[in-house]
């Protein structure tokens, strides 16, 4: 066994999606080159050969049962389509120009990405009604972004079923990362659920696999000057101007003093913070007050989404379900855009 054959066997052994039973002749004829053809320009690539082999039907059926959608994926062809990235087609045309091209998940992934953004946006907006717009967009990306879709696909066990190809650097097309191709699988499943079942079925899938994850939204809130941002927010809600009050202190004349400052609007305490100086404590108190407002959550028992009024199964999207009582929440005032010019493109008005 020469070097090419040993490399082929080791590569196929690392890919559980390649079933030796589904291969008529192993190793393939391309790998058995005579010595005179050893210096041909197009050498046999075992990685490309292994990626061209279709996944066995048993692995596809096991995947559909694992994610709880065996009733939808009655045929392994649907699962194979959701796991086939469009970057796989150039490689397939190169080696099999006369065979019909396999179906890819290009359209399904685009449709599923839009639906996932819709479900995540309404969920974040309903759960955090006072969240700033830019932070809400970041939270939506954290819920259903590419990195999250890649992580969910790995947890589903879809890695060995993925059919993709990284474009070479000499080609005109850009290189496709493995994580980017793997992220298309949950998106295509969402789009397939919308086409085969209903919008409500796709919504339940996204809520089960994506929106149940815990996201640290507090770390996404960054303030350049929280004192001024708090002043503008208090004026927006027509409350009394905020005032700082020293609540506690210790070691003022020592090397490690600690000050505790509270910020009040009238008799209501908005926030509290500590620090080694009065300015640091006041900065943290203003930041704490902003966090208390922006991170206000709707109670779970009162959380209602507009898409919850959709009918189960097939039907009109404009006909509300009589089984679900829905009360539209009141729209809160829009956030104050402060120190956001430059990145967001919003120009500040200067007097």
């Amino acid at each position: 066994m020469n070097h090419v054959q040993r490399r082929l066997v080791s590569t196929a052994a690392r890919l559980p999606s390649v079933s030796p039973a589904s291969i008529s002749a192993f190793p393939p004829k391309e790998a058995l080159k005579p010595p005179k053809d050893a210096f041909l320009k197009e050498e046999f690539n075992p990685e490309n050969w292994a990626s061209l082999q279709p996944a066995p039907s048993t692995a596809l059926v096991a995947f559909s049962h694992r994610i709880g959608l065996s009733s939808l994926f009655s045929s392994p062809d649907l699962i194979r389509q959701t796991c086939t990235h469009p970057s796989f087609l150039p490689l397939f045309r190169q080696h099999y120009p006369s065979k019909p091209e396999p179906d890819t998940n290009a359209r399904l992934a685009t449709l599923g990405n839009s639906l996932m953004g819709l479900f995540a946006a309404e969920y974040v907006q309903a759960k955090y009604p006072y969240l700033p717009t830019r932070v809400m967009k970041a939270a939506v990306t954290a819920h259903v972004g590419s990195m999250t879709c890649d992580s969910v696909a790995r947890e589903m066990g879809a890695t060995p079923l993925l059919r993709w190809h990284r474009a070479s650097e000499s080609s005109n097309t850009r290189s496709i990362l493995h994580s980017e191709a793997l992220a298309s699988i949950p998106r295509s499943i969402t789009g397939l659920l919308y086409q085969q079942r209903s919008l409500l079925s796709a919504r339940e899938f996204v809520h089960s696999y994506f929106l149940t994850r815990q996201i640290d939204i507090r770390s996404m809130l960054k303030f350049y000057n929280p004192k001024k941002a708090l002043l503008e927010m208090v004026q927006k809600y027509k409350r009394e101007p905020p005032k700082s009050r020293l609540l506690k202190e210790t070691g003022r004349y020592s090397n490690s003093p600690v000050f505790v400052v509270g910020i009040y609007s009238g008799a209501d305490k908005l926030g509290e913070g500590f620090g080694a100086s009065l300015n640091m404590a006041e900065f943290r108190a203003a930041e704490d007050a902003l966090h208390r407002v922006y991170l206000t959550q709707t109670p779970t028992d009162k959380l209602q989404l507009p898409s919850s009024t959709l009918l189960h199964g097939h039907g009109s999207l404009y006909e509300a379900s009589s089984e679900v009582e829905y009360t539209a929440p009141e729209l809160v005032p829009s956030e104050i855009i402060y120190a956001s010019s430059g990145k967001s493109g919003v120009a500040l008005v200067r007097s």
Side-chain angles (χ1 to χ4, degrees):
M1 182 180 294
N2 55 23
H3 172 71
V4 175
Q5 296 178 13
R6 290 196 301 270
R7 186 181 176 190
L8 171 64
V9 173
S10 62
T11 303
R14 293 195 303 267
L15 297 174
S17 62
V18 178
S19 176
S22 62
I23 303 175
S24 57
F26 186 85
K29 298 180 180 180
E30 295 84 353
L32 304 176
K33 291 182 179 179
K36 62 179 182 179
D37 297 334
F39 297 98
L40 290 176
K41 294 183 179 180
E42 296 183 359
E43 297 183 356
F44 178 74
N45 191 331
E47 285 82 6
N48 290 344
W49 176 86
S51 61
L52 286 170
Q53 306 308 312
S57 301
T58 54
L60 299 175
V61 174
F63 173 73
S64 63
H65 282 271
R66 188 163 53 248
I67 62 178
L69 297 177
S70 57
S71 59
L72 172 66
F73 297 117
S74 57
S75 173
D77 296 336
L78 289 177
I79 316 176
R80 188 176 288 110
Q81 179 182 358
T82 58
C83 298
T84 304
H85 193 263
S87 60
F88 177 75
L89 291 182
L91 180 65
F92 185 86
R93 298 192 195 102
Q94 180 182 357
H95 291 79
Y96 306 106
S98 59
K99 293 185 177 181
E101 298 180 356
D103 297 329
T104 65
N105 60 7
R107 292 182 176 274
L108 292 176
T110 303
L111 175 61
N113 186 37
S114 301
L115 292 173
M116 293 169 68
L118 168 65
F119 300 142
E122 70 166 2
Y123 174 77
V124 175
Q125 176 64 29
K127 188 175 182 180
Y128 301 95
Y130 298 94
L131 204 62
T133 304
R134 290 193 299 169
V135 182
M136 186 187 71
K137 292 180 180 179
V140 171
T141 303
H143 275 292
V144 295
S146 297
M147 297 181 61
T148 307
C149 290
D150 173 49
S151 177
V152 171
R154 294 178 186 274
E155 295 174 3
M156 289 179 176
T159 304
L161 306 178
L162 175 65
R163 306 180 77 185
W164 73 293
H165 178 65
R166 187 195 304 271
S168 59
E169 298 180 356
S170 59
S171 61
N172 297 329
T173 58
R174 66 179 184 89
S175 299
I176 304 297
L177 300 178
H178 181 264
S179 59
E180 181 181 354
L182 195 60
S184 65
I185 296 181
R187 293 169 177 169
S188 60
I189 293 177
T190 305
L192 189 62
L193 280 171
Y194 170 74
Q195 286 189 341
Q196 299 290 333
R197 292 293 181 85
S198 63
L199 184 64
L200 189 58
S201 300
R203 171 183 175 271
E204 293 177 356
F205 173 78
V206 175
H207 275 261
S208 300
Y209 282 91
F210 291 91
L211 300 184
T212 55
R213 296 170 175 262
Q214 298 295 329
I215 303 297
D216 185 15
I217 301 183
R218 178 179 292 269
S219 61
M220 302 178 184
L221 290 169
K222 302 296 182 181
F223 305 100
Y224 175 74
N225 190 342
K227 294 173 60 177
K228 185 174 182 180
L230 179 62
L231 176 61
E232 295 183 355
M233 186 186 68
V234 170
Q235 292 177 352
K236 176 183 63 176
Y237 291 106
K238 300 178 180 181
R239 301 289 298 273
E240 298 184 16
K243 294 183 180 179
S244 303
R245 299 177 185 175
L246 180 61
L247 302 179
K248 298 179 182 178
E249 67 169 301
T250 180
R252 178 185 285 265
Y253 300 104
S254 64
N255 293 331
S256 55
V258 177
F259 300 93
V260 179
V261 174
I263 292 186
Y264 291 80
S265 176
D268 300 329
K269 185 170 72 171
L270 304 180
E272 183 177 322
F274 69 94
S277 64
L278 290 174
N279 291 333
M280 181 185 298
E282 191 176 10
F283 182 94
R284 291 178 176 175
E287 196 174 38
D288 178 60
L290 292 172
H291 283 161
R292 290 174 182 270
V293 175
Y294 290 142
L295 296 179
T296 300
Q297 299 186 30
T298 304
T300 307
D301 57 337
K302 297 182 179 179
L303 183 62
Q304 289 185 323
L305 302 177
S307 59
S308 62
T309 60
L310 298 177
L311 290 172
H312 289 269
H314 299 281
S316 175
L317 298 178
Y318 304 99
E319 183 180 356
S321 175
S322 58
E323 301 176 358
V324 180
E325 296 182 359
Y326 174 74
T327 303
E330 297 182 0
L331 296 178
V332 299
S334 59
E335 81 273 8
I336 295 295
I337 301 178
Y338 168 70
S340 60
S341 63
K343 289 187 177 180
S344 64
V346 179
L348 296 179
V349 180
R350 300 185 182 275
S351 57

